[in-house]
């Protein structure tokens, strides 16, 4: 596969497996693919029930509002071709960046491919952000 210039967004809390990178990059062999999302719902792994239900709802809402057909909007594996990513004019600087990226891609009618990924939700709560604690 020729080199692909993409931005890779990965959550840093060890719930995602970097061994999924080759599969996530593969769809970029098709020049029509603008972005790739890792879908936790198409892959294997554990998921907390309340988180799963919330993610289903948020993904449904996103698809309804922006005409998408994705299965996992809140995935923390998002890969976007770099020139496209640089032109998104993102304003969020916290977790709200997740829906902002997706909304802006869908508004532009970008082609988003999904790849099954491994995901293992932590059972313990996430550490509080000192700014919001």
């Amino acid at each position: 596969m020729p080199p692909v210039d993409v931005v890779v967004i990965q959550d840093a809390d060890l719930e995602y497996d970097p061994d999924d990178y080759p599969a996530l990059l593969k769809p970029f062999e098709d020049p029509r693919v603008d972005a790739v999302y890792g879908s936790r719902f198409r892959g294997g792994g554990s998921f907390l029930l309340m988180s799963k239900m919330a993610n289903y709802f948020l993904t449904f809402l996103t698809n309804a509002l922006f005409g998408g057909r994705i299965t996992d909007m809140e995935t923390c594996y998002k890969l976007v071709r770099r020139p496209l990513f640089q032109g998104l004019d993102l304003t969020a600087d916290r977790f709200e960046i997740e829906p902002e990226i997706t909304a802006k891609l869908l508004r532009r009618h970008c082609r988003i491919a999904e790849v099954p990924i491994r995901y293992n939700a932590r059972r313990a709560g996430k550490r509080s952000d000192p700014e919001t604690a």
Side-chain angles (χ1 to χ4, degrees):
M1 179 172 134
V4 180
D5 195 6
V6 298
V7 173
V8 178
I9 298 171
Q10 177 181 340
D11 201 348
D13 60 8
L14 305 178
E15 294 174 326
Y16 295 83
D17 188 346
D19 288 338
D20 285 329
Y21 281 174
L24 289 162
L25 290 167
K26 184 135 181 75
F28 287 110
E29 291 177 0
D30 181 345
R32 296 171 296 169
V33 171
D34 298 306
V36 175
Y37 280 23
S39 177
R40 298 168 291 176
F41 300 124
R42 290 186 173 178
S46 62
F47 225 113
L48 299 173
L49 181 60
M50 291 304 289
S51 294
K52 188 174 196 174
M53 300 312 294
N55 279 296
Y56 277 149
F57 174 74
L58 292 170
T59 297
F60 169 80
L61 189 60
T62 299
N63 286 332
L65 289 172
F66 301 105
R69 293 181 169 213
I70 57 177
T71 64
D72 190 4
M73 185 273 294
E74 288 288 339
T75 183
C76 288
Y77 254 146
K78 290 179 172 66
L79 293 78
V80 182
R81 291 189 186 272
R82 187 179 57 81
L84 173 61
F85 187 83
Q86 290 174 316
L88 290 180
D89 192 31
L90 299 170
T91 59
D93 61 1
R94 299 186 56 100
F95 285 112
E96 66 271 13
I97 199 162
E98 297 293 334
E100 182 182 4
I101 291 169
T102 302
K104 288 185 174 182
L105 290 172
L106 292 175
R107 280 186 191 148
R108 292 174 180 221
H109 304 287
C110 293
R111 183 169 177 199
I112 301 173
E114 287 189 299
V115 172
I117 59 168
R118 291 169 283 221
Y119 175 74
N120 290 299
R122 287 180 291 140
R123 298 292 180 220
K126 294 188 182 206
R127 196 177 94 199
S128 295
D129 183 339
E131 294 180 16
T132 60

